[in-house]
Amino acid sequence: MLNVDLHCHSHVSDGVLSPTDLARRAKANGVDVWALTDHDEVGGIAEARQAAAEIGLRFVAGVEISITWAGKTVHIVGLGIDEKNEVLLQGLASVRGGRDGRGREIAAQLAGVGIPDAYEGALKYADNPELIGRAHFARYIVELGVKDSVSEVFRHFLVEGKPGFVPHRWATLEQAVSWIRAASGRAVIAHPGRYPFDDLAFDALLDAFRQLGGEGIEVVTGSHTPDQYALYARVAQQSGMLASRGSDFHGPTESRVDLGSLPPLPANVLPVWHDWAM
Ligand code: AMP
Ligand code: MN
Ligand code: MN
Ligand code: MN
């Protein structure tokens, strides 16, 4: 059985490793097919593809697009994209455009609870200032010694109802799916178990996604529990969605799940890679 890992982040967005180091780590961990899916950016794809080719690792170009749906942030992964497509590139640039102002507001809130200079602090961790995000703020808060780990930070800061949370309008669902399709990619709802939707709202998201041409959902991801693997396998099967698998690896000391180390997809689903030539 192929070890397929179709979700992770490099330092081009909010991961810790370079695309080259991720490719090598994936290979060392036994991954056969690997996608890089940086947030709202495809700037790491060329390096990732080259590094993967050099070590005989099959590479899939990807991206994880931030959207706002029903007032909440949802992530849509695009797989097998043409990263040079102008529609996609312009769309991603428009999403990134909002991050700087949001980052400054996050910093202002953190200053109010005694965490100074957080914009500058977070920026040190952001390889690309355009992509400044909550993971970079979290690393700075750990650096200050306010909390011991990034996951601890996300229990006390940066999330809804806590200091450092700034509601933000990302792309729309329609935009994200249309950009991915314009770039010949396959759209997949990332980590569906992480959203604060009830069944009715989630079904509405799935319906809207399907009607726009969305094709899959992540079933086995670093964000799901084993119960959720089974739950979202059923959802995929019943809704006719393809199923994806991805660690969502961000870095060796931060991520619970390493590249290529998740269990395989349940048998009752159709993998998102079922018709890929490989
Ligand atoms: P942003 O796109 O700036 O809203 O940041 C979202 C990113 O923050 C995610 O992709 C993760 O990298 C990180 N993140 C969000 N929630 C958590 C959490 N509970 N634990 C660790 N990282 C998180
Ligand atoms: Mn992230
Ligand atoms: Mn995500
Ligand atoms: Mn991710």
Side-chain angles (χ1 to χ4, degrees), residues 7 9 14 39-40 64 66 73 75 99 102 106 131-136 138-139 150-152 154-155 158-159 170 191 194 248 250 254:
H7 190 148
H9 299 271
D14 63 0
H39 296 285
D40 308 318
E64 181 176 22
S66 315
T73 299
H75 288 167
R99 279 190 181 267
R102 171 188 183 245
I106 290 174
L131 278 162
I132 189 166
R134 288 183 293 157
H136 306 118
R139 286 172 199 150
V150 162
S151 59
E152 260 310 289
F154 276 102
R155 273 191 272 279
L158 306 173
V159 292
W170 303 106
H191 40 67
R194 246 168 65 178
D248 208 354
H250 280 71
E254 277 176 29

PDB file of all heavy atoms in Angstrom, residues 7 9 14 39-40 64 66 73 75 99 102 106 131-136 138-139 150-152 154-155 158-159 170 191 194 248 250 254, ligand 1:
ATOM      1  N   HIS A   7      -0.530  16.780   2.894  1.00  0.00           N
ATOM      2  CA  HIS A   7      -0.755  18.033   3.626  1.00  0.00           C
ATOM      3  C   HIS A   7       0.425  18.299   4.560  1.00  0.00           C
ATOM      4  O   HIS A   7       0.661  17.544   5.506  1.00  0.00           O
ATOM      5  CB  HIS A   7      -2.061  17.937   4.437  1.00  0.00           C
ATOM      6  CG  HIS A   7      -2.520  19.234   5.034  1.00  0.00           C
ATOM      7  ND1 HIS A   7      -3.859  19.528   5.209  1.00  0.00           N
ATOM      8  CD2 HIS A   7      -1.841  20.305   5.490  1.00  0.00           C
ATOM      9  CE1 HIS A   7      -3.984  20.733   5.756  1.00  0.00           C
ATOM     10  NE2 HIS A   7      -2.763  21.219   5.945  1.00  0.00           N
ATOM     11  N   HIS A   9       3.422  21.831   5.765  1.00  0.00           N
ATOM     12  CA  HIS A   9       3.814  23.240   5.636  1.00  0.00           C
ATOM     13  C   HIS A   9       5.317  23.423   5.745  1.00  0.00           C
ATOM     14  O   HIS A   9       5.954  22.846   6.626  1.00  0.00           O
ATOM     15  CB  HIS A   9       3.127  24.077   6.721  1.00  0.00           C
ATOM     16  CG  HIS A   9       1.642  24.023   6.601  1.00  0.00           C
ATOM     17  ND1 HIS A   9       0.931  24.901   5.822  1.00  0.00           N
ATOM     18  CD2 HIS A   9       0.745  23.146   7.106  1.00  0.00           C
ATOM     19  CE1 HIS A   9      -0.355  24.583   5.863  1.00  0.00           C
ATOM     20  NE2 HIS A   9      -0.497  23.520   6.640  1.00  0.00           N
ATOM     21  N   ASP A  14       3.849  28.701   7.463  1.00  0.00           N
ATOM     22  CA  ASP A  14       4.086  28.674   8.913  1.00  0.00           C
ATOM     23  C   ASP A  14       4.699  27.370   9.393  1.00  0.00           C
ATOM     24  O   ASP A  14       4.634  27.044  10.573  1.00  0.00           O
ATOM     25  CB  ASP A  14       2.812  29.024   9.696  1.00  0.00           C
ATOM     26  CG  ASP A  14       1.687  28.023   9.474  1.00  0.00           C
ATOM     27  OD1 ASP A  14       1.892  27.049   8.707  1.00  0.00           O
ATOM     28  OD2 ASP A  14       0.604  28.219  10.057  1.00  0.00           O
ATOM     29  N   HIS A  39       0.114  27.518   3.366  1.00  0.00           N
ATOM     30  CA  HIS A  39      -1.050  28.407   3.460  1.00  0.00           C
ATOM     31  C   HIS A  39      -0.952  29.519   2.408  1.00  0.00           C
ATOM     32  O   HIS A  39       0.022  30.301   2.416  1.00  0.00           O
ATOM     33  CB  HIS A  39      -1.112  29.092   4.832  1.00  0.00           C
ATOM     34  CG  HIS A  39      -1.315  28.168   5.990  1.00  0.00           C
ATOM     35  ND1 HIS A  39      -2.523  27.584   6.286  1.00  0.00           N
ATOM     36  CD2 HIS A  39      -0.459  27.754   6.966  1.00  0.00           C
ATOM     37  CE1 HIS A  39      -2.414  26.855   7.386  1.00  0.00           C
ATOM     38  NE2 HIS A  39      -1.161  26.929   7.821  1.00  0.00           N
ATOM     39  N   ASP A  40      -1.948  29.616   1.549  1.00  0.00           N
ATOM     40  CA  ASP A  40      -2.137  30.779   0.663  1.00  0.00           C
ATOM     41  C   ASP A  40      -0.892  31.165  -0.147  1.00  0.00           C
ATOM     42  O   ASP A  40      -0.726  32.336  -0.503  1.00  0.00           O
ATOM     43  CB  ASP A  40      -2.601  32.008   1.493  1.00  0.00           C
ATOM     44  CG  ASP A  40      -3.800  31.690   2.363  1.00  0.00           C
ATOM     45  OD1 ASP A  40      -4.708  30.999   1.876  1.00  0.00           O
ATOM     46  OD2 ASP A  40      -3.830  32.107   3.542  1.00  0.00           O
ATOM     47  N   GLU A  64      -2.974  25.335   0.619  1.00  0.00           N
ATOM     48  CA  GLU A  64      -4.089  25.319   1.581  1.00  0.00           C
ATOM     49  C   GLU A  64      -4.635  26.743   1.668  1.00  0.00           C
ATOM     50  O   GLU A  64      -3.954  27.633   2.187  1.00  0.00           O
ATOM     51  CB  GLU A  64      -3.623  24.827   2.956  1.00  0.00           C
ATOM     52  CG  GLU A  64      -4.775  24.768   3.974  1.00  0.00           C
ATOM     53  CD  GLU A  64      -4.365  24.189   5.327  1.00  0.00           C
ATOM     54  OE1 GLU A  64      -3.175  24.205   5.668  1.00  0.00           O
ATOM     55  OE2 GLU A  64      -5.275  23.721   6.059  1.00  0.00           O
ATOM     56  N   SER A  66      -7.116  29.750   2.855  1.00  0.00           N
ATOM     57  CA  SER A  66      -7.948  30.183   3.980  1.00  0.00           C
ATOM     58  C   SER A  66      -9.218  30.829   3.431  1.00  0.00           C
ATOM     59  O   SER A  66      -9.134  31.742   2.606  1.00  0.00           O
ATOM     60  CB  SER A  66      -7.208  31.225   4.820  1.00  0.00           C
ATOM     61  OG  SER A  66      -5.867  30.845   5.058  1.00  0.00           O
ATOM     62  N   THR A  73     -13.528  30.429   9.949  1.00  0.00           N
ATOM     63  CA  THR A  73     -12.414  30.124   9.046  1.00  0.00           C
ATOM     64  C   THR A  73     -12.413  28.638   8.711  1.00  0.00           C
ATOM     65  O   THR A  73     -12.507  27.781   9.597  1.00  0.00           O
ATOM     66  CB  THR A  73     -11.079  30.517   9.702  1.00  0.00           C
ATOM     67  OG1 THR A  73     -11.097  31.924   9.942  1.00  0.00           O
ATOM     68  CG2 THR A  73      -9.907  30.186   8.782  1.00  0.00           C
ATOM     69  N   HIS A  75     -10.414  25.786   5.877  1.00  0.00           N
ATOM     70  CA  HIS A  75      -9.273  25.635   4.978  1.00  0.00           C
ATOM     71  C   HIS A  75      -9.614  24.685   3.833  1.00  0.00           C
ATOM     72  O   HIS A  75     -10.154  23.599   4.068  1.00  0.00           O
ATOM     73  CB  HIS A  75      -8.053  25.114   5.742  1.00  0.00           C
ATOM     74  CG  HIS A  75      -7.447  26.142   6.647  1.00  0.00           C
ATOM     75  ND1 HIS A  75      -6.523  25.852   7.615  1.00  0.00           N
ATOM     76  CD2 HIS A  75      -7.633  27.491   6.711  1.00  0.00           C
ATOM     77  CE1 HIS A  75      -6.157  26.972   8.235  1.00  0.00           C
ATOM     78  NE2 HIS A  75      -6.829  27.970   7.710  1.00  0.00           N
ATOM     79  N   ARG A  99      -3.181  39.786   5.699  1.00  0.00           N
ATOM     80  CA  ARG A  99      -2.509  39.247   6.895  1.00  0.00           C
ATOM     81  C   ARG A  99      -1.741  40.297   7.693  1.00  0.00           C
ATOM     82  O   ARG A  99      -1.647  40.200   8.916  1.00  0.00           O
ATOM     83  CB  ARG A  99      -1.555  38.106   6.501  1.00  0.00           C
ATOM     84  CG  ARG A  99      -2.275  36.791   6.309  1.00  0.00           C
ATOM     85  CD  ARG A  99      -1.286  35.638   6.171  1.00  0.00           C
ATOM     86  NE  ARG A  99      -1.985  34.378   5.968  1.00  0.00           N
ATOM     87  CZ  ARG A  99      -2.327  33.546   6.963  1.00  0.00           C
ATOM     88  NH1 ARG A  99      -1.992  33.818   8.215  1.00  0.00           N
ATOM     89  NH2 ARG A  99      -2.972  32.439   6.707  1.00  0.00           N
ATOM     90  N   ARG A 102      -4.088  42.342   9.955  1.00  0.00           N
ATOM     91  CA  ARG A 102      -4.549  41.435  11.009  1.00  0.00           C
ATOM     92  C   ARG A 102      -3.442  41.178  12.029  1.00  0.00           C
ATOM     93  O   ARG A 102      -3.672  41.206  13.249  1.00  0.00           O
ATOM     94  CB  ARG A 102      -4.987  40.117  10.373  1.00  0.00           C
ATOM     95  CG  ARG A 102      -5.302  38.994  11.355  1.00  0.00           C
ATOM     96  CD  ARG A 102      -5.515  37.733  10.548  1.00  0.00           C
ATOM     97  NE  ARG A 102      -5.891  36.551  11.291  1.00  0.00           N
ATOM     98  CZ  ARG A 102      -5.114  35.459  11.386  1.00  0.00           C
ATOM     99  NH1 ARG A 102      -3.912  35.424  10.832  1.00  0.00           N
ATOM    100  NH2 ARG A 102      -5.559  34.404  12.027  1.00  0.00           N
ATOM    101  N   ILE A 106      -3.535  41.768  16.016  1.00  0.00           N
ATOM    102  CA  ILE A 106      -3.222  40.704  16.983  1.00  0.00           C
ATOM    103  C   ILE A 106      -2.198  41.230  17.991  1.00  0.00           C
ATOM    104  O   ILE A 106      -2.349  41.074  19.216  1.00  0.00           O
ATOM    105  CB  ILE A 106      -2.681  39.445  16.257  1.00  0.00           C
ATOM    106  CG1 ILE A 106      -3.795  38.758  15.453  1.00  0.00           C
ATOM    107  CG2 ILE A 106      -2.050  38.471  17.253  1.00  0.00           C
ATOM    108  CD1 ILE A 106      -3.324  37.583  14.585  1.00  0.00           C
ATOM    109  N   LEU A 131       3.009  36.408   4.959  1.00  0.00           N
ATOM    110  CA  LEU A 131       2.263  35.253   5.474  1.00  0.00           C
ATOM    111  C   LEU A 131       2.249  35.201   6.991  1.00  0.00           C
ATOM    112  O   LEU A 131       1.968  34.162   7.590  1.00  0.00           O
ATOM    113  CB  LEU A 131       2.834  33.965   4.889  1.00  0.00           C
ATOM    114  CG  LEU A 131       2.268  33.708   3.499  1.00  0.00           C
ATOM    115  CD1 LEU A 131       3.099  32.729   2.721  1.00  0.00           C
ATOM    116  CD2 LEU A 131       0.832  33.230   3.612  1.00  0.00           C
ATOM    117  N   ILE A 132       2.528  36.339   7.630  1.00  0.00           N
ATOM    118  CA  ILE A 132       2.523  36.355   9.096  1.00  0.00           C
ATOM    119  C   ILE A 132       1.182  35.816   9.605  1.00  0.00           C
ATOM    120  O   ILE A 132       0.109  36.202   9.142  1.00  0.00           O
ATOM    121  CB  ILE A 132       2.825  37.772   9.631  1.00  0.00           C
ATOM    122  CG1 ILE A 132       3.034  37.735  11.138  1.00  0.00           C
ATOM    123  CG2 ILE A 132       1.724  38.757   9.246  1.00  0.00           C
ATOM    124  CD1 ILE A 132       3.670  39.025  11.684  1.00  0.00           C
ATOM    125  N   GLY A 133       1.273  34.856  10.539  1.00  0.00           N
ATOM    126  CA  GLY A 133       0.060  34.196  11.015  1.00  0.00           C
ATOM    127  C   GLY A 133       0.183  33.782  12.471  1.00  0.00           C
ATOM    128  O   GLY A 133       1.214  34.039  13.126  1.00  0.00           O
ATOM    129  N   ARG A 134      -0.856  33.125  12.944  1.00  0.00           N
ATOM    130  CA  ARG A 134      -0.919  32.840  14.376  1.00  0.00           C
ATOM    131  C   ARG A 134       0.191  31.914  14.851  1.00  0.00           C
ATOM    132  O   ARG A 134       0.661  32.026  15.997  1.00  0.00           O
ATOM    133  CB  ARG A 134      -2.292  32.275  14.728  1.00  0.00           C
ATOM    134  CG  ARG A 134      -3.390  33.341  14.658  1.00  0.00           C
ATOM    135  CD  ARG A 134      -4.729  32.775  15.080  1.00  0.00           C
ATOM    136  NE  ARG A 134      -5.215  31.796  14.133  1.00  0.00           N
ATOM    137  CZ  ARG A 134      -6.098  30.848  14.419  1.00  0.00           C
ATOM    138  NH1 ARG A 134      -6.563  30.724  15.647  1.00  0.00           N
ATOM    139  NH2 ARG A 134      -6.489  30.001  13.488  1.00  0.00           N
ATOM    140  N   ALA A 135       0.640  30.989  13.994  1.00  0.00           N
ATOM    141  CA  ALA A 135       1.717  30.081  14.419  1.00  0.00           C
ATOM    142  C   ALA A 135       2.995  30.875  14.726  1.00  0.00           C
ATOM    143  O   ALA A 135       3.740  30.529  15.652  1.00  0.00           O
ATOM    144  CB  ALA A 135       1.984  29.027  13.342  1.00  0.00           C
ATOM    145  N   HIS A 136       3.238  31.934  13.965  1.00  0.00           N
ATOM    146  CA  HIS A 136       4.440  32.753  14.225  1.00  0.00           C
ATOM    147  C   HIS A 136       4.311  33.504  15.549  1.00  0.00           C
ATOM    148  O   HIS A 136       5.269  33.606  16.312  1.00  0.00           O
ATOM    149  CB  HIS A 136       4.658  33.736  13.067  1.00  0.00           C
ATOM    150  CG  HIS A 136       4.714  33.076  11.709  1.00  0.00           C
ATOM    151  ND1 HIS A 136       3.812  33.360  10.722  1.00  0.00           N
ATOM    152  CD2 HIS A 136       5.541  32.117  11.221  1.00  0.00           C
ATOM    153  CE1 HIS A 136       4.094  32.613   9.652  1.00  0.00           C
ATOM    154  NE2 HIS A 136       5.132  31.852   9.935  1.00  0.00           N
ATOM    155  N   ALA A 138       2.559  32.463  18.025  1.00  0.00           N
ATOM    156  CA  ALA A 138       2.655  31.445  19.074  1.00  0.00           C
ATOM    157  C   ALA A 138       4.118  31.137  19.395  1.00  0.00           C
ATOM    158  O   ALA A 138       4.497  30.998  20.567  1.00  0.00           O
ATOM    159  CB  ALA A 138       1.917  30.177  18.632  1.00  0.00           C
ATOM    160  N   ARG A 139       4.949  31.033  18.358  1.00  0.00           N
ATOM    161  CA  ARG A 139       6.380  30.746  18.596  1.00  0.00           C
ATOM    162  C   ARG A 139       7.043  31.882  19.375  1.00  0.00           C
ATOM    163  O   ARG A 139       7.886  31.637  20.256  1.00  0.00           O
ATOM    164  CB  ARG A 139       7.097  30.518  17.253  1.00  0.00           C
ATOM    165  CG  ARG A 139       6.733  29.175  16.650  1.00  0.00           C
ATOM    166  CD  ARG A 139       7.245  28.957  15.243  1.00  0.00           C
ATOM    167  NE  ARG A 139       6.452  27.878  14.658  1.00  0.00           N
ATOM    168  CZ  ARG A 139       6.156  27.742  13.372  1.00  0.00           C
ATOM    169  NH1 ARG A 139       6.617  28.612  12.497  1.00  0.00           N
ATOM    170  NH2 ARG A 139       5.417  26.745  12.961  1.00  0.00           N
ATOM    171  N   VAL A 150       3.713  25.718  21.771  1.00  0.00           N
ATOM    172  CA  VAL A 150       2.772  26.332  20.844  1.00  0.00           C
ATOM    173  C   VAL A 150       1.346  25.863  21.138  1.00  0.00           C
ATOM    174  O   VAL A 150       0.407  26.660  21.124  1.00  0.00           O
ATOM    175  CB  VAL A 150       3.200  26.003  19.391  1.00  0.00           C
ATOM    176  CG1 VAL A 150       2.072  26.223  18.410  1.00  0.00           C
ATOM    177  CG2 VAL A 150       4.425  26.839  19.012  1.00  0.00           C
ATOM    178  N   SER A 151       1.185  24.601  21.450  1.00  0.00           N
ATOM    179  CA  SER A 151      -0.183  24.123  21.689  1.00  0.00           C
ATOM    180  C   SER A 151      -0.752  24.738  22.973  1.00  0.00           C
ATOM    181  O   SER A 151      -1.943  25.042  23.052  1.00  0.00           O
ATOM    182  CB  SER A 151      -0.258  22.598  21.697  1.00  0.00           C
ATOM    183  OG  SER A 151       0.576  22.089  22.700  1.00  0.00           O
ATOM    184  N   GLU A 152       0.104  24.954  23.987  1.00  0.00           N
ATOM    185  CA  GLU A 152      -0.339  25.673  25.200  1.00  0.00           C
ATOM    186  C   GLU A 152      -0.762  27.105  24.855  1.00  0.00           C
ATOM    187  O   GLU A 152      -1.761  27.616  25.370  1.00  0.00           O
ATOM    188  CB  GLU A 152       0.794  25.725  26.235  1.00  0.00           C
ATOM    189  CG  GLU A 152       0.714  24.714  27.355  1.00  0.00           C
ATOM    190  CD  GLU A 152      -0.646  24.671  28.045  1.00  0.00           C
ATOM    191  OE1 GLU A 152      -0.989  25.636  28.767  1.00  0.00           O
ATOM    192  OE2 GLU A 152      -1.369  23.680  27.855  1.00  0.00           O
ATOM    193  N   PHE A 154      -2.029  28.170  22.146  1.00  0.00           N
ATOM    194  CA  PHE A 154      -3.336  28.139  21.479  1.00  0.00           C
ATOM    195  C   PHE A 154      -4.480  27.773  22.433  1.00  0.00           C
ATOM    196  O   PHE A 154      -5.627  27.797  22.041  1.00  0.00           O
ATOM    197  CB  PHE A 154      -3.319  27.199  20.272  1.00  0.00           C
ATOM    198  CG  PHE A 154      -2.782  27.851  19.020  1.00  0.00           C
ATOM    199  CD1 PHE A 154      -1.485  27.603  18.581  1.00  0.00           C
ATOM    200  CD2 PHE A 154      -3.566  28.729  18.279  1.00  0.00           C
ATOM    201  CE1 PHE A 154      -0.993  28.203  17.427  1.00  0.00           C
ATOM    202  CE2 PHE A 154      -3.084  29.340  17.129  1.00  0.00           C
ATOM    203  CZ  PHE A 154      -1.793  29.072  16.705  1.00  0.00           C
ATOM    204  N   ARG A 155      -4.154  27.423  23.667  1.00  0.00           N
ATOM    205  CA  ARG A 155      -5.224  27.252  24.655  1.00  0.00           C
ATOM    206  C   ARG A 155      -5.564  28.555  25.370  1.00  0.00           C
ATOM    207  O   ARG A 155      -6.647  28.694  25.919  1.00  0.00           O
ATOM    208  CB  ARG A 155      -4.844  26.173  25.677  1.00  0.00           C
ATOM    209  CG  ARG A 155      -5.231  24.773  25.214  1.00  0.00           C
ATOM    210  CD  ARG A 155      -5.094  23.755  26.330  1.00  0.00           C
ATOM    211  NE  ARG A 155      -3.743  23.210  26.382  1.00  0.00           N
ATOM    212  CZ  ARG A 155      -3.307  22.245  25.579  1.00  0.00           C
ATOM    213  NH1 ARG A 155      -4.107  21.714  24.672  1.00  0.00           N
ATOM    214  NH2 ARG A 155      -2.077  21.803  25.669  1.00  0.00           N
ATOM    215  N   LEU A 158      -4.900  33.762  21.012  1.00  0.00           N
ATOM    216  CA  LEU A 158      -4.974  33.645  19.545  1.00  0.00           C
ATOM    217  C   LEU A 158      -6.205  32.912  19.024  1.00  0.00           C
ATOM    218  O   LEU A 158      -6.356  32.760  17.808  1.00  0.00           O
ATOM    219  CB  LEU A 158      -3.708  32.963  18.962  1.00  0.00           C
ATOM    220  CG  LEU A 158      -2.357  33.575  19.347  1.00  0.00           C
ATOM    221  CD1 LEU A 158      -1.212  32.679  18.841  1.00  0.00           C
ATOM    222  CD2 LEU A 158      -2.206  34.980  18.784  1.00  0.00           C
ATOM    223  N   VAL A 159      -7.047  32.404  19.914  1.00  0.00           N
ATOM    224  CA  VAL A 159      -8.264  31.701  19.482  1.00  0.00           C
ATOM    225  C   VAL A 159      -9.497  32.458  19.980  1.00  0.00           C
ATOM    226  O   VAL A 159      -9.395  33.265  20.918  1.00  0.00           O
ATOM    227  CB  VAL A 159      -8.298  30.233  19.985  1.00  0.00           C
ATOM    228  CG1 VAL A 159      -7.228  29.409  19.288  1.00  0.00           C
ATOM    229  CG2 VAL A 159      -8.125  30.165  21.503  1.00  0.00           C
ATOM    230  N   TRP A 170     -11.348  35.998   5.051  1.00  0.00           N
ATOM    231  CA  TRP A 170     -10.426  35.417   4.077  1.00  0.00           C
ATOM    232  C   TRP A 170     -11.135  35.392   2.721  1.00  0.00           C
ATOM    233  O   TRP A 170     -12.045  36.179   2.478  1.00  0.00           O
ATOM    234  CB  TRP A 170     -10.007  34.013   4.539  1.00  0.00           C
ATOM    235  CG  TRP A 170      -9.365  33.962   5.902  1.00  0.00           C
ATOM    236  CD1 TRP A 170      -9.927  33.503   7.052  1.00  0.00           C
ATOM    237  CD2 TRP A 170      -8.039  34.383   6.259  1.00  0.00           C
ATOM    238  NE1 TRP A 170      -9.023  33.598   8.101  1.00  0.00           N
ATOM    239  CE2 TRP A 170      -7.866  34.132   7.638  1.00  0.00           C
ATOM    240  CE3 TRP A 170      -6.966  34.927   5.549  1.00  0.00           C
ATOM    241  CZ2 TRP A 170      -6.675  34.418   8.317  1.00  0.00           C
ATOM    242  CZ3 TRP A 170      -5.779  35.210   6.220  1.00  0.00           C
ATOM    243  CH2 TRP A 170      -5.641  34.956   7.588  1.00  0.00           C
ATOM    244  N   HIS A 191      -9.138  18.997   7.138  1.00  0.00           N
ATOM    245  CA  HIS A 191      -9.507  18.660   8.534  1.00  0.00           C
ATOM    246  C   HIS A 191     -10.941  19.065   8.923  1.00  0.00           C
ATOM    247  O   HIS A 191     -11.125  19.942   9.790  1.00  0.00           O
ATOM    248  CB  HIS A 191      -8.506  19.271   9.522  1.00  0.00           C
ATOM    249  CG  HIS A 191      -8.025  20.667   9.192  1.00  0.00           C
ATOM    250  ND1 HIS A 191      -8.855  21.761   9.212  1.00  0.00           N
ATOM    251  CD2 HIS A 191      -6.812  21.133   8.824  1.00  0.00           C
ATOM    252  CE1 HIS A 191      -8.159  22.843   8.888  1.00  0.00           C
ATOM    253  NE2 HIS A 191      -6.915  22.481   8.629  1.00  0.00           N
ATOM    254  N   ARG A 194     -12.323  19.885  12.537  1.00  0.00           N
ATOM    255  CA  ARG A 194     -11.851  21.003  13.360  1.00  0.00           C
ATOM    256  C   ARG A 194     -12.788  22.197  13.380  1.00  0.00           C
ATOM    257  O   ARG A 194     -12.561  23.139  14.135  1.00  0.00           O
ATOM    258  CB  ARG A 194     -10.480  21.447  12.852  1.00  0.00           C
ATOM    259  CG  ARG A 194      -9.401  21.188  13.884  1.00  0.00           C
ATOM    260  CD  ARG A 194      -8.023  21.343  13.337  1.00  0.00           C
ATOM    261  NE  ARG A 194      -7.695  22.696  12.931  1.00  0.00           N
ATOM    262  CZ  ARG A 194      -6.504  23.042  12.459  1.00  0.00           C
ATOM    263  NH1 ARG A 194      -5.560  22.126  12.334  1.00  0.00           N
ATOM    264  NH2 ARG A 194      -6.260  24.273  12.105  1.00  0.00           N
ATOM    265  N   ASP A 248      -0.483  17.235   8.017  1.00  0.00           N
ATOM    266  CA  ASP A 248      -0.498  18.650   8.423  1.00  0.00           C
ATOM    267  C   ASP A 248       0.735  18.971   9.270  1.00  0.00           C
ATOM    268  O   ASP A 248       0.687  19.791  10.197  1.00  0.00           O
ATOM    269  CB  ASP A 248      -1.785  18.997   9.177  1.00  0.00           C
ATOM    270  CG  ASP A 248      -2.183  20.465   9.027  1.00  0.00           C
ATOM    271  OD1 ASP A 248      -1.416  21.245   8.439  1.00  0.00           O
ATOM    272  OD2 ASP A 248      -3.263  20.830   9.530  1.00  0.00           O
ATOM    273  N   HIS A 250       3.938  20.571  10.678  1.00  0.00           N
ATOM    274  CA  HIS A 250       4.478  21.940  10.693  1.00  0.00           C
ATOM    275  C   HIS A 250       5.922  21.993  11.168  1.00  0.00           C
ATOM    276  O   HIS A 250       6.629  22.947  10.860  1.00  0.00           O
ATOM    277  CB  HIS A 250       3.644  22.853  11.606  1.00  0.00           C
ATOM    278  CG  HIS A 250       2.379  23.369  10.990  1.00  0.00           C
ATOM    279  ND1 HIS A 250       1.289  22.571  10.740  1.00  0.00           N
ATOM    280  CD2 HIS A 250       2.022  24.609  10.573  1.00  0.00           C
ATOM    281  CE1 HIS A 250       0.312  23.308  10.199  1.00  0.00           C
ATOM    282  NE2 HIS A 250       0.734  24.549  10.088  1.00  0.00           N
ATOM    283  N   GLU A 254       6.774  20.698  17.082  1.00  0.00           N
ATOM    284  CA  GLU A 254       5.429  21.259  17.247  1.00  0.00           C
ATOM    285  C   GLU A 254       4.313  20.302  16.881  1.00  0.00           C
ATOM    286  O   GLU A 254       3.206  20.410  17.382  1.00  0.00           O
ATOM    287  CB  GLU A 254       5.275  22.506  16.368  1.00  0.00           C
ATOM    288  CG  GLU A 254       5.836  23.723  17.020  1.00  0.00           C
ATOM    289  CD  GLU A 254       5.774  24.947  16.122  1.00  0.00           C
ATOM    290  OE1 GLU A 254       4.867  25.039  15.276  1.00  0.00           O
ATOM    291  OE2 GLU A 254       6.647  25.806  16.279  1.00  0.00           O
TER     292      GLU A 254
HETATM  293  P1  AMP B   1      -3.746  31.652  10.716  1.00  0.00           P
HETATM  294  O1  AMP B   1      -3.796  31.187   9.273  1.00  0.00           O
HETATM  295  O2  AMP B   1      -2.815  32.803  10.909  1.00  0.00           O
HETATM  296  O3  AMP B   1      -5.109  31.859  11.305  1.00  0.00           O
HETATM  297  O4  AMP B   1      -3.070  30.473  11.543  1.00  0.00           O
HETATM  298  C1  AMP B   1      -3.588  29.171  11.479  1.00  0.00           C
HETATM  299  C2  AMP B   1      -2.472  28.236  11.887  1.00  0.00           C
HETATM  300  O5  AMP B   1      -2.264  28.322  13.292  1.00  0.00           O
HETATM  301  C3  AMP B   1      -2.759  26.771  11.623  1.00  0.00           C
HETATM  302  O6  AMP B   1      -2.476  26.420  10.301  1.00  0.00           O
HETATM  303  C4  AMP B   1      -1.780  26.122  12.582  1.00  0.00           C
HETATM  304  O7  AMP B   1      -0.494  26.193  12.038  1.00  0.00           O
HETATM  305  C5  AMP B   1      -1.828  27.069  13.772  1.00  0.00           C
HETATM  306  N1  AMP B   1      -2.801  26.617  14.786  1.00  0.00           N
HETATM  307  C6  AMP B   1      -4.102  26.934  14.880  1.00  0.00           C
HETATM  308  N2  AMP B   1      -4.657  26.346  15.968  1.00  0.00           N
HETATM  309  C7  AMP B   1      -3.676  25.623  16.556  1.00  0.00           C
HETATM  310  C8  AMP B   1      -3.589  24.791  17.715  1.00  0.00           C
HETATM  311  N3  AMP B   1      -4.645  24.584  18.513  1.00  0.00           N
HETATM  312  N4  AMP B   1      -2.397  24.205  17.993  1.00  0.00           N
HETATM  313  C9  AMP B   1      -1.322  24.420  17.212  1.00  0.00           C
HETATM  314  N5  AMP B   1      -1.346  25.186  16.116  1.00  0.00           N
HETATM  315  C10 AMP B   1      -2.492  25.783  15.794  1.00  0.00           C
END
